[in-house]
Amino acid sequence: MRILFLEDEEAIRGFVRINLKRNGMEVTEAEDGETALALAKAAVPPFDIALLDVMLPTISGFEVCEQLRQLFPRMGIVMLTAKSQEEDKIRGLELGADDYVQKPFSPGELIARLHALKRRMMPYGEEQRAGVGGADGAAGGAAAEGTAETAEGAAGGRAEAGGTAPGQGGSAAEPRGAAPDAIGAGAGSASGPAGGAGGEAAADPAAADAPPSAGHRRPVRPGDIASGPFLLSASERRLWKDNVEIVLTPTEWTLVKLLMERDGEGLSRDDILNSVWGRHYVGDLKIVDVNIRRIRQKIEVRPSDPKHIETLWGYGYRWNRGDGQ
């Protein structure tokens, strides 16, 4: 796993670098946003995940996140935020981050989050073979030591400045209660009521048609889910609407897949959080609402009046294949 790590405090960079490398990750460091963007643009192949601090001396981690998301739609992005800065979390997610980790954090928590995100980025079936951390965000290895609080102490500590979060859409976030078990097949299964035969798509070169284009719909393959105007490929981790590809982040794709597998069924926010981020995820339910809002901006004709991802007020969301609009 190749990580781009943006952090201006040398002590924190060294602390995190040691723990990530002990867990088999390749780490490239940047101390400012300009350097991070230059490294990302020059990297071949692209980095798997960008780990971004928020408060930086020149351009902020938010600006770097926004630019990276535009340049690399399928790159994983994790923000490091201060525990007291609630608006930082929402703003980072709105700009395209897949996850956030609050300071102070333990290396084990950070490594588990990175493994869980990497798993969401892998083609269906490959994550099981590769043995990347499970959907519950299993601990990323025994080599992690200390806490980020220790590193911040060595660096003298600092407070992160947060921005103002864009207005909340959809349904209001609620305090997270007792989390039920992960629902159904979870984010890793390609089967479902609308998905046809489960399992990984056959690796048949003759069947590898060109990507769908106007007037041409790619044949449905094993593991695909066809739902109204949508076609979701589990093996390629891609989504099309009316034969036009919709580019999703790794987390957005996993969330859409979950909803499409449970077409017409109401899913609570806790259900979604458990299935996409894992039952042991330590965070806020707002991460579900923000990702739903981002997805609606991409797939709905009128995001303010959604037809495909319906809000179940006070509960969660439901997928509706719709009538092609």
Side-chain angles (χ1 to χ4, degrees), residues 10 12 20 25 35 43 49 52 99 137 158 185 199 233 238 253 277 320:
E10 184 176 357
I12 299 177
L20 296 187
M25 302 180 194
T35 302
I49 295 174
L52 310 176
D99 202 352
R158 57 184 169 82
S233 168
R238 299 167 73 184
W253 185 91
W277 285 270
N320 177 10

PDB file of all heavy atoms in Angstrom, residues 10 12 20 25 35 43 49 52 99 137 158 185 199 233 238 253 277 320:
ATOM      1  N   GLU A  10       7.459  17.657  11.994  1.00  0.00           N
ATOM      2  CA  GLU A  10       8.418  16.590  11.725  1.00  0.00           C
ATOM      3  C   GLU A  10       8.292  15.431  12.708  1.00  0.00           C
ATOM      4  O   GLU A  10       8.399  14.257  12.328  1.00  0.00           O
ATOM      5  CB  GLU A  10       9.841  17.148  11.763  1.00  0.00           C
ATOM      6  CG  GLU A  10      10.905  16.132  11.392  1.00  0.00           C
ATOM      7  CD  GLU A  10      12.294  16.733  11.353  1.00  0.00           C
ATOM      8  OE1 GLU A  10      12.413  17.959  11.554  1.00  0.00           O
ATOM      9  OE2 GLU A  10      13.256  15.974  11.122  1.00  0.00           O
ATOM     10  N   ILE A  12       5.640  14.344  14.317  1.00  0.00           N
ATOM     11  CA  ILE A  12       4.456  13.530  14.012  1.00  0.00           C
ATOM     12  C   ILE A  12       4.697  12.710  12.750  1.00  0.00           C
ATOM     13  O   ILE A  12       4.334  11.530  12.684  1.00  0.00           O
ATOM     14  CB  ILE A  12       3.211  14.420  13.856  1.00  0.00           C
ATOM     15  CG1 ILE A  12       2.928  15.172  15.158  1.00  0.00           C
ATOM     16  CG2 ILE A  12       1.998  13.583  13.455  1.00  0.00           C
ATOM     17  CD1 ILE A  12       1.761  16.133  15.082  1.00  0.00           C
ATOM     18  N   LEU A  20       3.676   3.010  10.149  1.00  0.00           N
ATOM     19  CA  LEU A  20       3.133   2.538   8.876  1.00  0.00           C
ATOM     20  C   LEU A  20       4.121   1.609   8.179  1.00  0.00           C
ATOM     21  O   LEU A  20       3.732   0.573   7.624  1.00  0.00           O
ATOM     22  CB  LEU A  20       2.788   3.724   7.974  1.00  0.00           C
ATOM     23  CG  LEU A  20       1.687   4.670   8.459  1.00  0.00           C
ATOM     24  CD1 LEU A  20       1.344   5.688   7.378  1.00  0.00           C
ATOM     25  CD2 LEU A  20       0.444   3.913   8.893  1.00  0.00           C
ATOM     26  N   MET A  25       3.720  -0.737   4.817  1.00  0.00           N
ATOM     27  CA  MET A  25       3.269   0.314   3.911  1.00  0.00           C
ATOM     28  C   MET A  25       4.452   1.142   3.417  1.00  0.00           C
ATOM     29  O   MET A  25       5.418   1.363   4.138  1.00  0.00           O
ATOM     30  CB  MET A  25       2.251   1.219   4.609  1.00  0.00           C
ATOM     31  CG  MET A  25       1.035   0.478   5.119  1.00  0.00           C
ATOM     32  SD  MET A  25      -0.156   1.574   5.934  1.00  0.00           S
ATOM     33  CE  MET A  25      -1.202   0.358   6.751  1.00  0.00           C
ATOM     34  N   THR A  35       4.079  20.655  -2.038  1.00  0.00           N
ATOM     35  CA  THR A  35       4.918  19.472  -2.250  1.00  0.00           C
ATOM     36  C   THR A  35       4.067  18.223  -2.402  1.00  0.00           C
ATOM     37  O   THR A  35       4.331  17.371  -3.260  1.00  0.00           O
ATOM     38  CB  THR A  35       5.901  19.298  -1.078  1.00  0.00           C
ATOM     39  OG1 THR A  35       6.711  20.468  -0.962  1.00  0.00           O
ATOM     40  CG2 THR A  35       6.793  18.087  -1.291  1.00  0.00           C
ATOM     41  N   ALA A  43       3.632  10.829  -9.289  1.00  0.00           N
ATOM     42  CA  ALA A  43       3.685   9.419  -8.887  1.00  0.00           C
ATOM     43  C   ALA A  43       3.125   8.508  -9.978  1.00  0.00           C
ATOM     44  O   ALA A  43       2.038   8.735 -10.496  1.00  0.00           O
ATOM     45  CB  ALA A  43       2.898   9.216  -7.595  1.00  0.00           C
ATOM     46  N   ILE A  49      -3.451   5.860  -1.185  1.00  0.00           N
ATOM     47  CA  ILE A  49      -4.171   6.653  -0.194  1.00  0.00           C
ATOM     48  C   ILE A  49      -3.353   7.892   0.153  1.00  0.00           C
ATOM     49  O   ILE A  49      -2.129   7.825   0.278  1.00  0.00           O
ATOM     50  CB  ILE A  49      -4.439   5.833   1.089  1.00  0.00           C
ATOM     51  CG1 ILE A  49      -5.376   4.660   0.786  1.00  0.00           C
ATOM     52  CG2 ILE A  49      -5.030   6.711   2.197  1.00  0.00           C
ATOM     53  CD1 ILE A  49      -5.581   3.711   1.961  1.00  0.00           C
ATOM     54  N   LEU A  52      -3.899  13.217   5.058  1.00  0.00           N
ATOM     55  CA  LEU A  52      -3.712  14.664   5.036  1.00  0.00           C
ATOM     56  C   LEU A  52      -4.025  15.310   6.381  1.00  0.00           C
ATOM     57  O   LEU A  52      -5.129  15.148   6.913  1.00  0.00           O
ATOM     58  CB  LEU A  52      -4.624  15.297   3.970  1.00  0.00           C
ATOM     59  CG  LEU A  52      -4.585  14.692   2.561  1.00  0.00           C
ATOM     60  CD1 LEU A  52      -5.612  15.386   1.673  1.00  0.00           C
ATOM     61  CD2 LEU A  52      -3.187  14.796   1.962  1.00  0.00           C
ATOM     62  N   ASP A  99     -12.630   9.310   4.739  1.00  0.00           N
ATOM     63  CA  ASP A  99     -12.679   9.042   6.171  1.00  0.00           C
ATOM     64  C   ASP A  99     -11.880  10.122   6.883  1.00  0.00           C
ATOM     65  O   ASP A  99     -11.175  10.922   6.258  1.00  0.00           O
ATOM     66  CB  ASP A  99     -12.089   7.657   6.468  1.00  0.00           C
ATOM     67  CG  ASP A  99     -12.564   7.070   7.795  1.00  0.00           C
ATOM     68  OD1 ASP A  99     -13.235   7.796   8.565  1.00  0.00           O
ATOM     69  OD2 ASP A  99     -12.263   5.895   8.059  1.00  0.00           O
ATOM     70  N   GLY A 137     -12.690  -3.301  10.041  1.00  0.00           N
ATOM     71  CA  GLY A 137     -11.509  -2.503  10.331  1.00  0.00           C
ATOM     72  C   GLY A 137     -10.618  -3.203  11.327  1.00  0.00           C
ATOM     73  O   GLY A 137     -10.195  -2.631  12.327  1.00  0.00           O
ATOM     74  N   ARG A 158      -0.407  21.564  18.951  1.00  0.00           N
ATOM     75  CA  ARG A 158      -0.976  22.724  18.288  1.00  0.00           C
ATOM     76  C   ARG A 158      -2.455  22.498  18.078  1.00  0.00           C
ATOM     77  O   ARG A 158      -2.923  21.379  18.059  1.00  0.00           O
ATOM     78  CB  ARG A 158      -0.310  22.985  16.934  1.00  0.00           C
ATOM     79  CG  ARG A 158      -0.378  21.821  15.976  1.00  0.00           C
ATOM     80  CD  ARG A 158       0.393  22.155  14.717  1.00  0.00           C
ATOM     81  NE  ARG A 158       0.577  20.984  13.895  1.00  0.00           N
ATOM     82  CZ  ARG A 158      -0.339  20.516  13.069  1.00  0.00           C
ATOM     83  NH1 ARG A 158      -1.491  21.111  12.979  1.00  0.00           N
ATOM     84  NH2 ARG A 158      -0.113  19.451  12.344  1.00  0.00           N
ATOM     85  N   ALA A 185     -25.048  -9.231   3.085  1.00  0.00           N
ATOM     86  CA  ALA A 185     -23.746  -9.686   2.607  1.00  0.00           C
ATOM     87  C   ALA A 185     -22.676  -8.658   2.848  1.00  0.00           C
ATOM     88  O   ALA A 185     -21.512  -8.929   2.670  1.00  0.00           O
ATOM     89  CB  ALA A 185     -23.831 -10.001   1.111  1.00  0.00           C
ATOM     90  N   GLY A 199     -20.622 -13.597  -6.945  1.00  0.00           N
ATOM     91  CA  GLY A 199     -19.263 -14.000  -7.251  1.00  0.00           C
ATOM     92  C   GLY A 199     -18.577 -13.030  -8.167  1.00  0.00           C
ATOM     93  O   GLY A 199     -19.135 -12.045  -8.616  1.00  0.00           O
ATOM     94  N   SER A 233     -20.718  -2.467 -11.802  1.00  0.00           N
ATOM     95  CA  SER A 233     -19.787  -3.575 -12.008  1.00  0.00           C
ATOM     96  C   SER A 233     -19.018  -3.831 -10.725  1.00  0.00           C
ATOM     97  O   SER A 233     -18.280  -2.963 -10.245  1.00  0.00           O
ATOM     98  CB  SER A 233     -18.802  -3.249 -13.139  1.00  0.00           C
ATOM     99  OG  SER A 233     -17.735  -4.184 -13.148  1.00  0.00           O
ATOM    100  N   ARG A 238     -17.136   0.061 -10.893  1.00  0.00           N
ATOM    101  CA  ARG A 238     -17.576   1.197 -11.698  1.00  0.00           C
ATOM    102  C   ARG A 238     -19.097   1.236 -11.724  1.00  0.00           C
ATOM    103  O   ARG A 238     -19.765   0.226 -11.485  1.00  0.00           O
ATOM    104  CB  ARG A 238     -17.019   1.100 -13.121  1.00  0.00           C
ATOM    105  CG  ARG A 238     -15.509   1.108 -13.177  1.00  0.00           C
ATOM    106  CD  ARG A 238     -14.980   0.709 -14.538  1.00  0.00           C
ATOM    107  NE  ARG A 238     -15.177   1.749 -15.544  1.00  0.00           N
ATOM    108  CZ  ARG A 238     -14.858   1.588 -16.833  1.00  0.00           C
ATOM    109  NH1 ARG A 238     -14.371   0.432 -17.255  1.00  0.00           N
ATOM    110  NH2 ARG A 238     -15.044   2.570 -17.688  1.00  0.00           N
ATOM    111  N   TRP A 253     -18.704   4.283  -3.934  1.00  0.00           N
ATOM    112  CA  TRP A 253     -19.044   3.086  -4.704  1.00  0.00           C
ATOM    113  C   TRP A 253     -19.556   1.981  -3.779  1.00  0.00           C
ATOM    114  O   TRP A 253     -20.558   1.323  -4.071  1.00  0.00           O
ATOM    115  CB  TRP A 253     -17.827   2.598  -5.488  1.00  0.00           C
ATOM    116  CG  TRP A 253     -18.136   1.442  -6.387  1.00  0.00           C
ATOM    117  CD1 TRP A 253     -18.530   1.485  -7.691  1.00  0.00           C
ATOM    118  CD2 TRP A 253     -18.112   0.048  -6.030  1.00  0.00           C
ATOM    119  NE1 TRP A 253     -18.749   0.214  -8.170  1.00  0.00           N
ATOM    120  CE2 TRP A 253     -18.504  -0.687  -7.175  1.00  0.00           C
ATOM    121  CE3 TRP A 253     -17.801  -0.637  -4.860  1.00  0.00           C
ATOM    122  CZ2 TRP A 253     -18.583  -2.075  -7.174  1.00  0.00           C
ATOM    123  CZ3 TRP A 253     -17.885  -2.024  -4.857  1.00  0.00           C
ATOM    124  CH2 TRP A 253     -18.272  -2.735  -6.009  1.00  0.00           C
ATOM    125  N   TRP A 277     -18.273   1.086   6.768  1.00  0.00           N
ATOM    126  CA  TRP A 277     -17.086   1.476   7.536  1.00  0.00           C
ATOM    127  C   TRP A 277     -16.668   0.429   8.562  1.00  0.00           C
ATOM    128  O   TRP A 277     -15.552   0.477   9.059  1.00  0.00           O
ATOM    129  CB  TRP A 277     -17.323   2.817   8.232  1.00  0.00           C
ATOM    130  CG  TRP A 277     -17.250   3.975   7.287  1.00  0.00           C
ATOM    131  CD1 TRP A 277     -16.138   4.697   6.955  1.00  0.00           C
ATOM    132  CD2 TRP A 277     -18.326   4.548   6.535  1.00  0.00           C
ATOM    133  NE1 TRP A 277     -16.457   5.678   6.048  1.00  0.00           N
ATOM    134  CE2 TRP A 277     -17.801   5.613   5.767  1.00  0.00           C
ATOM    135  CE3 TRP A 277     -19.686   4.266   6.431  1.00  0.00           C
ATOM    136  CZ2 TRP A 277     -18.578   6.390   4.920  1.00  0.00           C
ATOM    137  CZ3 TRP A 277     -20.467   5.037   5.583  1.00  0.00           C
ATOM    138  CH2 TRP A 277     -19.916   6.082   4.840  1.00  0.00           C
ATOM    139  N   ASN A 320     -34.163   3.299  -4.719  1.00  0.00           N
ATOM    140  CA  ASN A 320     -35.308   3.156  -5.611  1.00  0.00           C
ATOM    141  C   ASN A 320     -34.777   3.208  -7.036  1.00  0.00           C
ATOM    142  O   ASN A 320     -34.226   4.222  -7.458  1.00  0.00           O
ATOM    143  CB  ASN A 320     -36.316   4.286  -5.365  1.00  0.00           C
ATOM    144  CG  ASN A 320     -37.495   4.234  -6.324  1.00  0.00           C
ATOM    145  OD1 ASN A 320     -37.675   3.263  -7.057  1.00  0.00           O
ATOM    146  ND2 ASN A 320     -38.286   5.298  -6.331  1.00  0.00           N
TER     147      ASN A 320
END
